Each structure stands twice: as structure tokens, then as C-alpha cells.
Amino acid sequence: MANVTIIGAQWGDEGKGKVVDWLASRADIVVRFQGGHNAGHTLVVGNQTYKLSLLPSGLVRGKLGIIGNGVVIDPSALLLEIERMRDQGLHITPETLRIADNAPLILPVHAAIDRAREAARGERRIGTTGRGIGPAYEDKVARRAIRVCDLAEPETLDWRLDELLLHHNTLLAGLGAETFEKQTLRNDLIALAPQILPFAEPVWERLAEARKSGARILFEGAQAVMLDVDHGTYPYVTSSNTVAGQAAAGAGLGPDAVGRVLGIAKAYCTRVGSGPFPTELSDATGRLLGERGHEFGTVTGRARRCGWFDAALVRQAVKVGGIQGLALTKLDVLDQMQELKIGIGYRIDGAEYRHLPPGAAAQAKAEPIYETIEGWSGSTRGARSYAELPAQAIKYIRRIEELVECPVTLLSTSPERDDTILMTDPFAD
Ligand code: GDP
Ligand code: IMO
Ligand code: MG
């Protein structure tokens, strides 16, 4: 039985949440495998809108949700989100949600460092979500993290906090920010422990069992390939691997568990935060895309930068991300635009490139090479079958397929769950 892994193919906010929710009807388990509450996944189901950050989107369909070891978990944010979702009528209990006992925690000290460092960077800031994601991943790799399982061992918490604060308080003091008291952090963690621990377990064991019994697993990526810490527009990236390969390591399964890889891309392109964006439009067309697409960040409310579809970038994401099929979302936002452009490469210092080279200076200088394509006067909004699409919209999709060297297997034509067109079922054997 095929599993499916969903990843973003641009700089995030491509509509992963909507696609995961839609495909979750065919899955048994939905697993988050990287990132943290920097993600914001929006699901629109009838008159309800769900905004999920840490919780797997499959919970909305009543599927088992698993937060894997590759995720960084802010326990307070998790409990608040569970409360918020319960208020919206979702049933979230230790029966429906499991979290990896070896996942690292995000503590208030991480968010403080994140913000203090961004402030110190000034003009060169990354534009992080300020939620402590980067510092928490740094602590994991530095072997300084406090993990979910440590909540069950007050004596471990004690010396782990000593080590953590030795590092972070020195840094915070150097940045002129307020330092943290060990006792306060410890008391807060001990108070949270009884609320978090009932959800914790070695999820790798449950997942291994699920695989053996033929259950279908849907892996829900956060962020996107161009924000990947290795393959993205470094240093303007997040601090985790967002490519499909991470689904295995971030859940505690072998690489064969990843299954079919579906990349999600908008029919245009957006980015939140700083960093290179060759096809960005700072003109009226960019503003029009932003207004029509309601391009405001789910997590921070920041206006998203908008631009033309960059096929060179998505082609690169297809290759390094392991993407086998592309879901193209927000096609409706392009309705009635006379002319569309597609980025097919870059010009940097007079030389032409088919991909974005890794250097920060080169990336900042990259000028897009465009191909122009006629728009369509009809509407794709709410279309639920290929036959409803204007012929020119189909041409646009076909051209994208050629340029990114990957078939478009799913289309989304509005925020609403069922305004979706499936061409190839990724779960099919
Ligand atoms: P994610 O982070 O990849 O899950 O994406 P977000 O939820 O942050 O942002 C995508 C936004 O676009 C959300 O507000 C969705 O409701 C909305 N959306 C998703 N698909 C479509 C679509 O096909 N058309 C339109 N107009 N909006 C969409
Ligand atoms: P979803 O899952 C869009 C961006 C931030 C910033 C950079 C680093 O909703 O697609 P971080 O807080 O992770 O250290 O910030 O990454 N970023 C996102 N942009 N969508 C996201 O998630 C993002 N998560 C992080 O804006 O530029
Ligand atoms: Mg988002």
C-alpha cells in the first residue's frame, strides 16, 4: 500500500494544509515530520476555517495524528492549539493524537534568542516567525535540547536546564536581552508535564505496526524546499530539512516508508520574510495577486511578497525534494489576467543559469528570464473537473509540467476542501 508525502515546492504557504486535508480522507494516519509552530496550515470546510500550526491536518477528518521526532514542539503552544481546536469542535485526545517522546522541546528561552538575534541583525534579518524554531534545532544538534521524555524525569530536567541556560543566558546577556531563571523554567515544565505526557510515546513503534498492518500513512510537510536548511536560499531559510527524505528520519521509519511524493506549488509564487525572490513583483500586478490570493501569513499576519510562477525554482525543488507529482493550487487567482509570465531561468552578471546558484550574492542579483503566455478570460474558481477549465488555463498547466519536468496530478481552484481536481491518485498502487 502506497504512503504519500506532501511537501511545499516553493517558499511555503502553497496550500499544503488544504491538500493534506483533502487527501486525508484516503489515509489512516497523518504525520508531521519537521518544523514546528512556524507552520500555518489553513483548511476551509464549509463555514469552518481551521488554522493549524503543530497539529497534523488529518485531525480535522478524525484521522490519527502523529507529531514525529523531527518536529520541534513548544508544549505551551501545543496545549493552546489543542484548546483552540477543541473550541472548534475537534475531538483531540491521547487516542487521536500521539507525539514522539524523543522530540525536542521549544522553551521560552528559544523564542527570546530568536527575537534578540533578529533584532541584532537589523537590515539583514531573516524575517523568522520569532517562535524559537532555529534556536531549538540548534540545541538539538548541539545535544543540549530538552526532549518530551525528559518531562517524566525531574532529575534529568535539572541538569539539562543547567547546561541549556549556561549557553543561552550568556548569549542573551551579550545581546542585552533578559536572562532566564532555571527555577521558573523548571516549575513551568513540571506543571506542563501531566498535560503533555499522556500524548507521548515511541511513535516509531506505532508507525511500524501500522505499516505492517497495511495502514496508509500521509506525511504532512511544513515550510517548503526553498526554505530547506540545505537546499533552500540559505541563510534565508528555516532550520529543518523540508525535503521528502526527511519524512522517514523525522518519523522514525525507513526511507521506503515515504511513498509517493507530492509537491505543492501555487500557480504563481509567494514568500514571507526576507531573502531572494527573483520573480517578485513590486508593482500593481504583485499587489493584485496579493489581494486576490489573500496573501497574508497565517502565523504572523505579515503580507506575503508575490510574483510570477518560477519554473526554474520549482524544477530545482522537484529534483532535490524527490517530487513525483505536482499539485498546483490557487489557479483561480490568475483568472482574467490578460498575460502571464513564467520564470524559466536567471541572468546573473550577464551569464544565464537554469537553476539558482547557492551563493547569497548571486541569488540576490538573479534576474528572471521570462516566457510570456496568454491568460484566460473565463473562470477556474471552484472548478471540480478538468472539463470546466478554460482551454488557455490547461495550456498554462501543460507548459508548467514541461518546464518543471514533473506531471501536475492535482489542482486546487478555491480554498474550499472540495474545490479540487484529482488527475492521478497518489495512494493508488
Ligand atoms: P500551507 O502553509 O501550505 O498549508 O498554506 P496556507 O494555509 O498558509 O496558505 C494557503 C492559503 O490559500 C490558505 O488561506 C488557503 O485557504 C488558501 N488556498 C488554498 N488553496 C487555494 C486555492 O486553490 N485557491 C484559493 N483562492 N485559495 C486557496
Ligand atoms: P508553512 O508550513 C512560509 C519562513 C519565515 C522566515 C524563514 C525562517 O505554513 O508553509 P523560522 O521561524 O522558520 O526560523 O523562519 O522561514 N517560514 C515560512 N514561510 N510558510 C511557512 O510555513 C514558514 N515557516 C517558516 O517567514 O522567512
Ligand atoms: Mg502556511
Side-chain angles (χ1 to χ4, degrees), residues 7 22 36 39 43 126 156 158 176 190 231 260 331 336 361 365:
I7 59 171
W22 195 80
L43 285 56
I126 293 165
T156 305
D158 236 29
I190 301 258
H231 299 289
R260 298 273 162 68
L331 194 63
Q336 281 108 40
K365 281 191 271 187

Side-chain angles (χ1 to χ4, degrees), residues 12-13 16 39-41 298 304:
D13 304 324
K16 296 177 292 293
H41 297 178
T298 317
R304 296 176 183 146

Side-chain angles (χ1 to χ4, degrees), residues 29-266:
I29 306 178
V30 179
V31 183
R32 275 282 307 270
F33 57 89
Q34 48 70 232
H37 65 316
N38 49 348
H41 297 178
T42 312
L43 285 56
V44 180
V45 185
N47 57 10
Q48 282 277 3
T49 299
Y50 302 93
K51 291 179 185 289
L52 301 168
S53 283
L54 255 177
L55 294 174
S57 296
L59 285 168
V60 174
R61 292 259 190 197
K63 303 294 168 139
L64 176 66
I66 290 187
I67 300 181
N69 56 277
V71 175
V72 279
I73 302 175
D74 181 325
S76 311
L78 176 64
L79 293 173
L80 279 173
E81 192 173 328
I82 291 175
E83 262 328 293
R84 230 176 359 98
M85 288 304 128
R86 281 183 182 152
D87 289 347
Q88 284 194 263
L90 293 193
H91 186 63
I92 301 176
T93 67
E95 276 71 54
T96 62
L97 174 70
R98 309 304 295 159
I99 67 180
D101 52 7
N102 54 348
L105 296 179
I106 301 185
L107 306 181
V109 65
H110 295 123
I113 296 267
D114 192 357
R115 294 197 199 109
R117 278 201 311 223
E118 281 283 271
R121 283 186 189 116
E123 287 283 287
R124 292 205 183 274
R125 67 185 173 275
I126 293 165
T128 70
T129 57
R131 297 192 159 188
I133 307 295
Y137 275 116
E138 290 164 32
D139 274 6
K140 165 174 158 170
V141 177
R143 297 163 287 190
R144 236 185 345 250
I146 292 178
R147 307 197 297 174
V148 170
C149 52
D150 299 331
L151 294 173
E153 297 184 355
E155 69 277 27
T156 305
L157 274 183
D158 236 29
W159 67 272
R160 303 298 295 149
L161 277 171
D162 279 336
E163 188 173 334
L164 191 113
L165 286 180
L166 174 70
H167 181 85
H168 289 297
N169 275 344
T170 314
L171 203 57
L172 283 168
L175 288 165
E178 258 186 69
T179 55
F180 283 76
E181 289 280 338
K182 173 180 156 186
Q183 217 44 43
T184 316
L185 282 178
R186 187 178 184 279
N187 292 346
D188 290 349
L189 287 174
I190 301 258
L192 286 167
Q195 298 174 74
I196 296 290
L197 287 171
F199 294 99
E201 69 174 17
V203 297
W204 59 269
E205 206 155 36
R206 185 183 293 266
L207 287 167
E209 279 303 314
R211 286 210 75 203
K212 214 159 77 184
S213 66
R216 289 176 170 192
I217 307 172
L218 178 56
F219 295 94
E220 176 176 7
Q223 291 80 53
V225 176
M226 286 300 147
L227 289 171
D228 182 282
V229 68
D230 287 289
H231 299 289
T233 45
Y234 194 89
Y236 300 98
V237 293
T238 191
S239 296
S240 64
N241 282 114
T242 58
V243 291
Q246 175 62 23
L253 287 163
D256 59 329
V258 170
R260 298 273 162 68
V261 181
L262 189 63
I264 319 295
K266 279 180 203 186

Side-chain angles (χ1 to χ4, degrees), residues 167-388:
H167 181 85
H168 289 297
N169 275 344
T170 314
L171 203 57
L172 283 168
L175 288 165
E178 258 186 69
T179 55
F180 283 76
E181 289 280 338
K182 173 180 156 186
Q183 217 44 43
T184 316
L185 282 178
R186 187 178 184 279
N187 292 346
D188 290 349
L189 287 174
I190 301 258
L192 286 167
Q195 298 174 74
I196 296 290
L197 287 171
F199 294 99
E201 69 174 17
V203 297
W204 59 269
E205 206 155 36
R206 185 183 293 266
L207 287 167
E209 279 303 314
R211 286 210 75 203
K212 214 159 77 184
S213 66
R216 289 176 170 192
I217 307 172
L218 178 56
F219 295 94
E220 176 176 7
Q223 291 80 53
V225 176
M226 286 300 147
L227 289 171
D228 182 282
V229 68
D230 287 289
H231 299 289
T233 45
Y234 194 89
Y236 300 98
V237 293
T238 191
S239 296
S240 64
N241 282 114
T242 58
V243 291
Q246 175 62 23
L253 287 163
D256 59 329
V258 170
R260 298 273 162 68
V261 181
L262 189 63
I264 319 295
K266 279 180 203 186
Y268 49 103
C269 192
T270 65
R271 172 162 208 170
V272 217
S274 327
F277 182 175
T279 61
E280 181 171 15
L281 292 166
S282 327
D283 59 3
T285 309
R287 284 192 293 282
L288 184 73
L289 290 173
E291 280 162 27
R292 284 211 197 155
H294 301 288
E295 297 296 356
F296 294 93
T298 317
V299 172
T300 55
R302 290 177 289 177
R304 296 176 183 146
R305 300 154 64 192
C306 299
W308 294 120
F309 187 86
D310 187 341
L313 194 88
V314 174
R315 179 178 161 277
Q316 195 167 334
V318 163
K319 307 288 181 206
V320 301
I323 294 170
Q324 298 162 311
L326 205 65
L328 204 60
T329 62
K330 305 192 99 163
L331 194 63
D332 54 296
V333 175
L334 300 182
D335 284 352
Q336 281 108 40
M337 291 185 79
Q338 275 193 346
E339 196 178 81
L340 305 170
K341 288 188 178 172
I342 304 179
I344 56 169
Y346 311 99
R347 200 167 282 116
I348 303 167
D349 292 332
E352 289 192 4
Y353 292 79
R354 243 190 119 192
H355 68 275
L356 205 51
Q363 290 187 352
K365 281 191 271 187
E367 290 290 333
I369 301 171
Y370 283 124
E371 182 176 292
T372 303
I373 178 164
E374 199 185 311
W376 52 91
S377 51
S379 167
T380 65
R381 176 96 183 169
R384 293 187 182 183
S385 75
Y386 217 69
E388 292 171 59

